[in-house]
């Protein structure tokens, strides 16, 4: 198994490609050209696209992937609904958001878009397999109504190593944002935060923005968990 990262420089978002014996799972397709080029270069066949949430910087490459391959798109129900709206997926306000987030240094044209609904939706939990690799998607609302975190368990590893694709939770140096479209402080406090607090230490966290790190007691304390 190999985990590849594709970074979109404009939004600093991460896409992950998990490759195993010529097949692949794509998590949060951000930059369509880079992703497709990497898949073709490595002669992979993508089977699934998994989404951590509905914001445009994590789904911008989804439609292009669907045109290139017959992938099965899996998302939480409200994520699937949200990516069909330029307001809920933030693409309608992304130009302004990037400008203010950068302190006025980034001024770009960002075309609003929507995506077709997911092919497979779930409300609480969904399990999938790529070879012997098990993916478990778990609903974790707060950042958005449709947010999920994704576990990856490589069952060929004797130590049971686990990875966590955290979406926009556990971003290095940033607290959880609940004020963007779909965000809910109430959902985060009642559902998201308690669930995150119970996560076991030692997980290798691959966030939606920034570099991977190991989940430790110190990291959890830094996030108020």
């Amino acid at each position: 198994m190999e985990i590849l990262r594709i970074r979109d420089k404009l939004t600093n978002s991460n896409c992950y490609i998990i490759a195993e014996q010529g097949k692949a799972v794509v998590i949060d397709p951000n930059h369509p050209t880079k992703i497709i080029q990497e898949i073709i270069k490595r002669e992979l066949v993508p089977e699934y696209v998994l989404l951590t949430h509905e914001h445009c910087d994590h789904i911008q490459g989804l439609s292009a992937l669907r045109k290139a391959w017959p992938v099965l798109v899996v998302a939480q129900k409200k994520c699937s609904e949200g990516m069909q709206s330029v307001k809920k997926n933030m693409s309608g306000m992304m130009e302004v958001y990037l400008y203010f987030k950068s302190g006025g240094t980034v001024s770009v044209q960002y075309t609003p878009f929507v995506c077709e609904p997911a092919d497979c939706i779930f409300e609480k939990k969904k399990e999938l397999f790529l070879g012997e690799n098990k993916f478990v998607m778990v609903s974790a609302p707060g950042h958005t109504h449709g947010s999920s975190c994704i576990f990856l368990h490589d069952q060929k590893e004797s130590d049971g190593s686990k990875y966590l694709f955290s979406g926009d939770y556990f971003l290095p140096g940033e607290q959880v944002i609940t004020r963007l479209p779909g965000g809910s402080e109430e959902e985060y406090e009642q559902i998201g935060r308690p669930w995150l607090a119970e996560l076991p230490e030692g997980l290798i966290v691959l966030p939606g923005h920034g570099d991977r790190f190991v989940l430790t007691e110190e990291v959890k304390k830094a996030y108020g968990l």
Side-chain angles (χ1 to χ4, degrees), residues 164 166 169-176 188 193 196-207 209 211-225:
L164 176 70
S166 63
Y169 293 113
F170 291 135
L171 300 185
E174 292 188 28
Q175 293 297 314
V176 177
Y188 178 66
R193 184 193 291 272
L196 294 169
E198 293 298 319
L199 290 174
E201 296 170 21
L203 286 172
I204 299 172
V205 179
L206 296 100
H209 303 265
D211 298 328
R212 66 164 64 186
F213 59 91
V214 177
L215 186 63
T216 63
E217 181 180 357
E218 291 73 19
V219 169
K220 294 176 77 171
K221 285 182 178 179
Y223 284 90
L225 302 175

Side-chain angles (χ1 to χ4, degrees), residues 66-77:
R66 281 174 147 165
K67 289 179 180 179
W69 291 279
V71 293
L72 186 74
V73 179
V74 186
Q76 203 273 350
K77 181 180 179 181

Side-chain angles (χ1 to χ4, degrees), residues 25 29 36 41-42 57 68 75-76 79 84 101 104 106 110 127 131 138 140 143 179 211-212:
V25 168
I36 290 174
K41 182 180 74 174
R42 293 176 177 270
D57 50 335
Q76 203 273 350
C79 171
Q84 301 174 62
K101 185 176 177 63
V106 174
Y110 195 99
E127 296 185 358
V138 181
H143 177 64
R179 66 181 181 274
D211 298 328
R212 66 164 64 186

Side-chain angles (χ1 to χ4, degrees), residues 9 14 25 31 37 51 58 83 89 108-109 111 121 132 141 172-173 177 182:
K9 292 183 179 180
N14 293 326
V25 168
H31 194 291
Q37 287 177 343
L51 304 178
H58 298 266
M83 64 187 187
N89 73 18
V108 296
Q109 182 177 1
T111 304
I121 61 173
E132 296 188 42
I177 298 175

Side-chain angles (χ1 to χ4, degrees), residues 2 4 17 19-24 35-46 69:
E2 185 177 12
L4 313 170
I17 301 173
E20 173 77 15
Q21 297 182 351
K23 298 180 180 180
I35 296 170
I36 290 174
Q37 287 177 343
E38 189 69 25
I39 290 173
I40 292 174
K41 182 180 74 174
R42 293 176 177 270
E43 299 182 341
L44 299 172
V45 178
W69 291 279

Side-chain angles (χ1 to χ4, degrees), residues 2-206:
E2 185 177 12
I3 300 177
L4 313 170
R5 179 175 73 157
I6 303 294
R7 178 176 171 267
D8 178 16
K9 292 183 179 180
L10 177 62
T11 63
N12 195 34
S13 63
N14 293 326
C15 165
Y16 297 98
I17 301 173
I18 298 87
E20 173 77 15
Q21 297 182 351
K23 298 180 180 180
V25 168
V26 179
I27 296 178
D28 287 355
N30 53 6
H31 194 291
T33 303
K34 289 183 178 180
I35 296 170
I36 290 174
Q37 287 177 343
E38 189 69 25
I39 290 173
I40 292 174
K41 182 180 74 174
R42 293 176 177 270
E43 299 182 341
L44 299 172
V45 178
E47 293 195 344
Y48 298 107
V49 176
L50 313 183
L51 304 178
T52 64
H53 63 294
E54 59 267 36
H55 285 164
C56 58
D57 50 335
H58 298 266
I59 62 171
Q60 187 174 347
L62 178 57
S63 294
L65 269 178
R66 281 174 147 165
K67 289 179 180 179
W69 291 279
V71 293
L72 186 74
V73 179
V74 186
Q76 203 273 350
K77 181 180 179 181
K78 291 183 179 179
C79 171
S80 179
E81 295 169 354
M83 64 187 187
Q84 301 174 62
S85 161
V86 297
K87 179 179 180 180
K88 292 180 179 179
N89 73 18
M90 278 189 62
S91 64
M93 60 176 285
M94 201 60 176
E95 289 181 14
V96 176
Y97 176 77
L98 290 172
Y99 180 80
F100 283 103
K101 185 176 177 63
S102 69
T105 61
V106 174
S107 181
V108 296
Q109 182 177 1
Y110 195 99
T111 304
F113 68 91
V114 296
C115 293
E116 293 296 316
D119 304 299
C120 177
I121 61 173
F122 67 95
E123 294 198 23
K124 297 296 183 181
K125 184 177 179 181
K126 180 67 178 178
E127 296 185 358
L128 308 107
F129 287 86
L130 179 70
E132 296 188 42
N133 304 304
K134 181 180 180 181
F135 294 84
V136 182
M137 304 179 70
V138 181
S139 175
H143 177 64
T144 69
H145 295 305
S147 288
S148 301
C149 288
I150 304 170
F151 294 97
L152 168 57
H153 184 189
D154 183 354
Q155 299 188 92
K156 290 185 290 187
E157 294 289 339
S158 59
D159 61 356
S161 297
K162 288 187 178 180
Y163 300 87
L164 176 70
F165 298 89
S166 63
D168 279 5
Y169 293 113
F170 291 135
L171 300 185
E174 292 188 28
Q175 293 297 314
V176 177
I177 298 175
T178 59
R179 66 181 181 274
L180 297 175
S184 170
E185 182 70 23
E186 182 179 0
E187 283 188 327
Y188 178 66
E189 292 297 334
Q190 292 183 358
I191 304 172
R193 184 193 291 272
W195 183 81
L196 294 169
E198 293 298 319
L199 290 174
E201 296 170 21
L203 286 172
I204 299 172
V205 179
L206 296 100

